[in-house]
Amino acid sequence: MMTEDTYKTIAAPAESVYTEKRSKFIAIALPVRTLAEIKAYLDEYQKKYYDARHVCYAYMLGAERKEFRANDNGEPSGTAGKPILGQINSNELTDILVIVVRYFGGIKLGTSGLIVAYKTAAAQALSEAQIIEKTVDEQVTVVFEYPFMNDIMRIVKEESPEVLDQSYDMDCVMTLRIRKSQMPRLRMRLEKVETARISDDVTSL
């Protein structure tokens, strides 16, 4: 059971090759964080396999797994992208792009054959990948006066957020990152420090 502030993705790219009735399916699983990354990878692999009959793919983005797409790239509707996405879903993965390149072997597979082939190719690539669990992190910026540095540092030491940025000028400013479930407690403790105020740009990462 995954808690609300963790998600599963893959650690590094993975690749496998699957052959069915002389059609060759090259499946590539890639960790991604943004649509721009996805577009760059698709451009790269479409150029690399320019002579392939089809370059199909599916992706899933975000810890909540709400941003996704499946593309059949010329295969009959629902026979390529959807089975690839199905494998991403059955492994509960996100921040991932799976591309399956097909070289046609001269023998038609039929719609059910295509679905099985794309599903198997995607599953093989994912079985080669190292699946890791990551935390959903949030960051917060606290502004405070210098005399209260020790109070803030004590909280940082005890709660162990990652310190992303700090500056000590007229006011001291510190940006911290911590997993989502621990953020309310961190904020509450920081707000209790005299002169401290939380900058309201809390963002999820």
Side-chain angles (χ1 to χ4, degrees):
M1 169 70 192
M2 290 198 302
T3 56
E4 58 155 32
D5 66 346
T6 63
Y7 61 94
K8 290 198 290 186
T9 188
I10 59 172
E15 195 170 313
S16 76
V17 178
Y18 173 70
T19 307
E20 178 65 32
K21 291 182 181 168
R22 297 213 299 261
S23 271
K24 184 175 168 189
F25 297 85
I26 302 164
I28 307 110
L30 300 152
V32 288
R33 293 295 298 269
T34 63
L35 285 172
E37 268 184 281
I38 289 168
K39 188 177 180 307
Y41 274 131
L42 290 173
D43 287 348
E44 178 188 332
Y45 283 96
Q46 275 158 352
K47 281 184 187 129
K48 182 175 178 180
Y49 296 107
Y50 68 91
D51 56 342
R53 178 71 68 93
H54 304 281
V55 180
C56 308
Y57 66 88
Y59 66 75
M60 178 79 69
L61 283 178
E64 293 175 353
R65 307 181 73 247
K66 287 181 180 167
E67 192 174 352
F68 57 88
R69 188 168 175 214
N71 187 296
D72 295 312
N73 191 233
E75 292 283 31
S77 179
T79 61
K82 215 168 163 186
I84 299 169
L85 185 62
Q87 289 307 298
I88 292 173
N89 277 325
S90 67
N91 285 281
E92 298 181 327
L93 297 171
T94 191
D95 286 355
I96 186 169
L97 166 66
V98 179
I99 300 169
V100 180
V101 179
R102 180 189 182 197
Y103 283 94
F104 183 53
I107 302 169
K108 291 194 171 178
L109 300 180
T111 52
S112 59
L114 284 171
I115 290 167
V116 170
Y118 278 101
K119 176 184 171 182
T120 306
Q124 272 189 198
L126 292 175
S127 72
E128 295 288 326
Q130 182 194 353
I131 292 174
I132 54 171
E133 192 169 275
K134 287 188 167 185
T135 56
V136 179
D137 296 333
E138 290 185 342
Q139 67 183 51
V140 64
T141 299
V142 60
V143 183
F144 56 95
E145 291 176 9
Y146 191 80
F148 300 94
M149 167 72 75
N150 284 346
D151 295 343
I152 296 288
M153 291 312 290
R154 185 180 308 115
I155 295 167
V156 168
K157 185 167 185 263
E158 288 168 6
E159 299 294 331
S160 303
E162 183 184 350
V163 179
L164 299 179
D165 196 27
Q166 49 193 325
S167 62
Y168 310 110
D169 214 1
M170 291 290 285
D171 271 339
C172 300
V173 181
M174 193 176 281
T175 300
L176 307 169
R177 177 162 62 198
I178 199 165
R179 67 186 287 174
K180 185 179 174 183
S181 59
Q182 294 168 347
M183 179 59 84
R185 178 184 157 94
L186 176 64
R187 278 189 73 128
M188 185 184 72
R189 291 195 64 189
L190 292 171
E191 283 166 350
K192 284 182 177 170
V193 175
E194 210 176 320
T195 78
R197 63 185 193 277
I198 301 288
S199 176
D200 273 332
D201 56 351
V202 173
T203 49
S204 283
L205 300 167

Coordinates of all heavy atoms in Angstrom, one line a residue, residues 165-199:
D165 N 18.1 26.6 0.0 CA 18.7 27.9 -0.2 C 18.7 28.6 1.1 O 17.7 28.5 1.9 CB 17.8 28.6 -1.2 CG 18.6 29.8 -1.8 OD1 19.8 29.8 -1.8 OD2 17.9 30.8 -2.2
Q166 N 19.7 29.5 1.4 CA 19.6 30.3 2.6 C 20.4 31.6 2.3 O 21.4 31.6 1.6 CB 20.2 29.5 3.8 CG 21.5 28.8 3.5 CD 21.8 27.9 4.7 OE1 21.5 28.1 5.8 NE2 22.5 26.8 4.4
S167 N 19.9 32.7 2.8 CA 20.6 34.0 2.7 C 20.5 34.7 4.0 O 19.4 34.7 4.7 CB 20.1 34.8 1.5 OG 18.8 35.1 1.7
Y168 N 21.5 35.4 4.4 CA 21.5 36.2 5.7 C 21.8 37.6 5.4 O 22.9 38.0 5.2 CB 22.5 35.6 6.6 CG 22.4 34.1 6.8 CD1 23.4 33.3 6.3 CD2 21.3 33.5 7.4 CE1 23.3 31.9 6.4 CE2 21.2 32.2 7.5 CZ 22.2 31.3 7.0 OH 22.0 30.0 7.1
D169 N 20.7 38.4 5.3 CA 20.9 39.8 5.0 C 20.2 40.6 6.1 O 20.4 40.2 7.3 CB 20.2 40.1 3.6 CG 21.0 41.2 2.9 OD1 22.0 41.7 3.4 OD2 20.6 41.6 1.7
M170 N 19.5 41.6 5.8 CA 18.7 42.3 6.8 C 17.8 41.3 7.5 O 17.7 41.2 8.7 CB 17.8 43.4 6.2 CG 18.7 44.6 5.7 SD 19.4 45.5 7.0 CE 17.9 46.4 7.6
D171 N 17.1 40.5 6.6 CA 16.3 39.4 7.1 C 17.0 38.1 6.7 O 17.7 38.1 5.7 CB 14.9 39.4 6.5 CG 13.9 40.2 7.3 OD1 14.2 40.4 8.5 OD2 12.9 40.7 6.7
C172 N 16.8 37.1 7.4 CA 17.4 35.8 7.0 C 16.2 35.1 6.2 O 15.1 35.1 6.6 CB 17.8 35.0 8.2 SG 19.0 35.7 9.2
V173 N 16.6 34.4 5.2 CA 15.7 33.6 4.4 C 16.2 32.2 4.2 O 17.4 32.0 3.8 CB 15.4 34.3 3.0 CG1 14.4 33.5 2.2 CG2 15.0 35.8 3.1
M174 N 15.3 31.3 4.4 CA 15.7 29.9 4.2 C 14.6 29.1 3.5 O 13.5 29.2 3.9 CB 16.0 29.2 5.6 CG 16.7 27.9 5.5 SD 17.1 27.3 7.2 CE 18.5 28.3 7.6
T175 N 15.0 28.4 2.5 CA 14.0 27.5 1.7 C 14.3 26.1 2.0 O 15.5 25.6 1.9 CB 14.1 27.8 0.2 OG1 13.8 29.2 0.0 CG2 13.1 27.0 -0.5
L176 N 13.3 25.4 2.5 CA 13.4 24.0 2.9 C 12.5 23.1 2.1 O 11.5 23.5 1.7 CB 13.0 23.9 4.4 CG 13.7 24.9 5.4 CD1 13.1 24.9 6.7 CD2 15.2 24.6 5.5
R177 N 13.0 21.8 2.0 CA 12.1 20.8 1.3 C 12.0 19.6 2.2 O 13.0 19.1 2.8 CB 12.8 20.4 0.0 CG 12.0 19.4 -0.7 CD 12.3 19.3 -2.2 NE 13.7 18.9 -2.4 CZ 14.4 19.1 -3.6 NH1 13.8 19.7 -4.6 NH2 15.6 18.7 -3.7
I178 N 10.8 19.1 2.3 CA 10.5 17.9 3.1 C 9.3 17.2 2.5 O 8.6 17.7 1.7 CB 10.2 18.4 4.6 CG1 10.3 17.3 5.6 CG2 8.8 19.0 4.7 CD1 10.4 17.7 7.0
R179 N 9.2 15.9 2.9 CA 8.1 15.1 2.3 C 6.7 15.7 2.8 O 6.6 16.2 3.9 CB 8.2 13.6 2.6 CG 8.1 13.2 4.0 CD 8.4 11.7 4.1 NE 7.3 10.9 3.5 CZ 7.4 9.6 3.4 NH1 8.5 8.9 3.8 NH2 6.4 8.9 2.9
K180 N 5.8 15.6 1.9 CA 4.5 16.2 2.1 C 3.8 16.0 3.4 O 3.3 16.9 4.1 CB 3.5 15.8 0.9 CG 2.2 16.4 0.9 CD 1.4 15.9 -0.3 CE 0.0 16.4 -0.3 NZ -0.8 15.9 -1.4
S181 N 3.9 14.7 3.9 CA 3.2 14.4 5.1 C 3.8 15.0 6.3 O 3.2 15.2 7.4 CB 3.1 12.9 5.3 OG 4.5 12.3 5.3
Q182 N 5.1 15.5 6.2 CA 5.8 16.1 7.3 C 5.7 17.6 7.3 O 6.2 18.3 8.2 CB 7.3 15.6 7.3 CG 7.4 14.1 7.6 CD 8.8 13.6 7.4 OE1 9.6 14.3 6.8 NE2 9.0 12.4 7.8
M183 N 5.2 18.2 6.2 CA 5.2 19.6 6.0 C 4.4 20.4 7.1 O 4.8 21.4 7.6 CB 4.8 20.0 4.6 CG 4.7 21.5 4.3 SD 6.3 22.3 4.6 CE 7.1 22.1 3.0
P184 N 3.1 19.9 7.4 CA 2.3 20.6 8.4 C 3.1 20.8 9.7 O 3.0 21.9 10.3 CB 1.1 19.8 8.6 CG 1.0 19.0 7.3 CD 2.4 18.8 6.9
R185 N 3.7 19.8 10.2 CA 4.4 19.9 11.5 C 5.6 20.9 11.4 O 5.8 21.7 12.2 CB 4.9 18.5 11.9 CG 5.7 18.4 13.1 CD 6.2 17.0 13.3 NE 7.4 17.0 14.2 CZ 7.4 16.8 15.5 NH1 6.2 16.7 16.1 NH2 8.5 16.8 16.2
L186 N 6.3 20.8 10.3 CA 7.5 21.7 10.0 C 7.0 23.2 10.0 O 7.5 24.0 10.7 CB 8.2 21.4 8.7 CG 9.4 22.3 8.3 CD1 10.5 22.2 9.4 CD2 9.9 22.0 6.9
R187 N 5.9 23.4 9.3 CA 5.4 24.8 9.2 C 4.9 25.3 10.5 O 5.2 26.4 10.9 CB 4.2 24.8 8.2 CG 4.5 24.9 6.8 CD 3.3 25.1 6.0 NE 2.8 26.5 6.1 CZ 2.5 27.3 5.1 NH1 2.7 26.9 3.9 NH2 2.1 28.5 5.3
M188 N 4.3 24.4 11.3 CA 3.7 24.8 12.6 C 4.9 25.2 13.5 O 4.8 26.2 14.2 CB 3.0 23.7 13.2 CG 2.3 24.0 14.5 SD 1.5 22.5 15.2 CE 2.9 21.6 15.7
R189 N 5.9 24.4 13.5 CA 7.1 24.7 14.4 C 7.8 26.0 14.0 O 8.2 26.8 14.8 CB 8.1 23.6 14.4 CG 7.5 22.3 15.1 CD 8.6 21.3 15.4 NE 9.6 21.8 16.3 CZ 10.7 21.2 16.6 NH1 11.0 20.0 16.1 NH2 11.6 21.7 17.5
L190 N 7.9 26.2 12.6 CA 8.6 27.4 12.2 C 7.8 28.7 12.5 O 8.3 29.7 12.9 CB 8.8 27.4 10.6 CG 9.8 26.3 10.1 CD1 9.7 26.2 8.6 CD2 11.2 26.7 10.5
E191 N 6.5 28.6 12.4 CA 5.6 29.7 12.6 C 5.6 30.1 14.1 O 5.3 31.3 14.4 CB 4.2 29.4 12.2 CG 4.0 29.5 10.7 CD 2.7 28.9 10.2 OE1 2.0 28.2 11.0 OE2 2.4 29.0 9.0
K192 N 6.0 29.2 15.0 CA 6.0 29.6 16.4 C 7.3 30.4 16.8 O 7.4 30.9 17.9 CB 6.0 28.3 17.2 CG 4.6 27.7 17.3 CD 4.6 26.4 18.1 CE 3.2 25.9 18.3 NZ 3.2 24.5 18.9
V193 N 8.3 30.4 15.9 CA 9.5 31.1 16.2 C 9.2 32.6 16.1 O 8.6 33.1 15.1 CB 10.7 30.7 15.3 CG1 11.9 31.6 15.5 CG2 11.0 29.2 15.5
E194 N 9.7 33.4 17.1 CA 9.4 34.8 17.1 C 10.0 35.4 15.8 O 11.1 35.1 15.4 CB 10.1 35.4 18.3 CG 9.4 36.6 18.8 CD 10.0 37.2 20.1 OE1 10.4 36.3 21.0 OE2 10.1 38.4 20.2
T195 N 9.3 36.4 15.2 CA 9.7 37.1 14.0 C 9.6 36.3 12.7 O 9.6 36.8 11.6 CB 11.1 37.8 14.0 OG1 12.1 36.8 13.8 CG2 11.4 38.5 15.3
A196 N 9.4 35.0 12.8 CA 9.4 34.1 11.6 C 8.1 34.3 10.9 O 7.0 34.3 11.5 CB 9.7 32.7 12.0
R197 N 8.2 34.3 9.6 CA 7.0 34.3 8.8 C 7.2 33.4 7.6 O 8.3 33.3 7.0 CB 6.5 35.7 8.4 CG 7.5 36.4 7.5 CD 6.9 37.8 7.2 NE 7.7 38.5 6.1 CZ 8.8 39.1 6.3 NH1 9.4 39.1 7.5 NH2 9.4 39.6 5.2
I198 N 6.2 32.7 7.2 CA 6.3 31.7 6.1 C 5.9 32.5 4.8 O 4.9 33.1 4.7 CB 5.3 30.5 6.3 CG1 5.6 29.8 7.6 CG2 5.4 29.6 5.1 CD1 6.9 29.0 7.6
S199 N 6.8 32.4 3.8 CA 6.4 32.9 2.5 C 5.4 32.0 1.9 O 5.6 30.8 1.9 CB 7.7 33.0 1.7 OG 7.4 33.5 0.4

